[in-house]
Amino acid sequence: MKKDGIIRRAQTGGLMLLSLTSLSGFGADPGLELGLKVWPADISYSAGQGDTFMAGPFAAVELPQAFRLSAAVLWGHEKYAADSTDVWDVEAILGKSFGLFTPGFGVRFWRNDYRSGGHSDEYGPFLYLGLGDAIGSWPLRWYAAASLAFKDYGDRGDMNYYLLEAGLSLPVRSLTASLGYRYKSYYDSREDYEYKGPAAALSWRF
């Protein structure tokens, strides 16, 4: 990975987290959550298979009237038989909680920097739905989320996808550990890309 690419990724992640941190002073006791997420995934597509390991920070802030603003950055490296690529995935979501359900709207940006040369970008809006609740009197909670990216304004224009994730989380005071499964399918792509694998996160609430 080139030095300027590393700096650009660090700046992107830092600016997003700084923006959400500044919003934590808006409203009465909004609450700020900062965390780290990892996603090792197997990749399948029409021409073969590959794998990736992605990791990065995320942040969320509770706003007045049950609104929630979140942002995440994942960096990683995808390996294929014929080539490999450095990737970074950026998203921001504004949602409104209705108890069990949190519908929302987001924007995303994904970049592939190919080791063989060149790059390709994907970006556009997506719809979001989050769910979650406690499991009876247990300390565990369940969670699930779904995203539908319906318009790709990037280089190819056909990289629309849906993403599903579900799992369990264990909150202990201000610390929360989560473990689940994440599946992403580019339903509009000519190559039918699919990403799937376990996802884990660790976060702190302030």
Side-chain angles (χ1 to χ4, degrees):
M1 183 185 297
K2 296 181 180 179
K3 182 178 179 181
D4 60 344
I6 297 174
I7 294 174
R8 186 174 63 247
R9 288 156 174 74
Q11 289 174 336
T12 302
L15 285 172
M16 293 183 70
L17 296 183
L18 180 61
S19 299
L20 285 179
T21 302
S22 66
L23 281 171
S24 65
F26 180 70
D29 189 25
L32 173 68
E33 183 181 13
L34 299 176
L36 178 68
K37 186 168 190 171
V38 297
W39 184 30
D42 293 324
I43 306 171
S44 63
Y45 62 111
S46 58
Q49 296 181 337
D51 61 78
T52 185
F53 182 89
M54 303 187 72
F58 65 89
V61 60
E62 304 293 341
L63 300 175
Q65 300 183 17
F67 281 98
R68 176 182 172 89
L69 180 63
S70 64
V73 184
L74 286 174
W75 299 288
H77 181 71
E78 296 181 359
K79 294 184 293 184
Y80 301 93
D83 197 3
S84 63
T85 176
D86 295 317
V87 299
W88 55 304
D89 180 17
V90 182
E91 70 174 27
I93 302 171
L94 178 62
K96 182 176 175 61
S97 175
F98 294 92
L100 181 64
F101 302 95
T102 302
F105 182 82
V107 292
R108 47 99 182 193
F109 178 84
W110 176 290
R111 164 162 284 205
N112 294 287
D113 287 318
Y114 299 105
R115 291 294 177 94
S116 59
H119 69 270
S120 65
D121 295 334
E122 310 162 20
Y123 55 92
F126 64 86
L127 301 176
Y128 172 83
L129 178 63
L131 304 94
D133 202 358
I135 303 177
S137 59
W138 291 14
L140 289 172
R141 297 180 61 88
W142 66 270
Y143 67 90
S147 299
L148 176 64
F150 54 89
K151 181 63 178 179
D152 176 25
Y153 292 100
D155 296 326
R156 290 184 37 164
D158 67 345
M159 301 302 284
N160 299 313
Y161 66 84
Y162 63 85
L163 189 152
L164 306 173
E165 184 172 354
L168 298 174
S169 64
L170 177 63
V172 180
R173 296 185 179 179
S174 59
L175 181 68
T176 299
S178 303
L179 179 62
Y181 195 82
R182 186 176 170 99
Y183 174 80
K184 183 178 184 180
S185 175
Y186 282 90
Y187 65 89
D188 201 28
S189 167
R190 296 186 297 271
E191 293 85 3
D192 296 322
Y193 282 99
E194 291 184 341
Y195 295 66
K196 50 189 174 183
L202 189 64
S203 65
W204 294 263
R205 182 174 289 276
F206 301 90

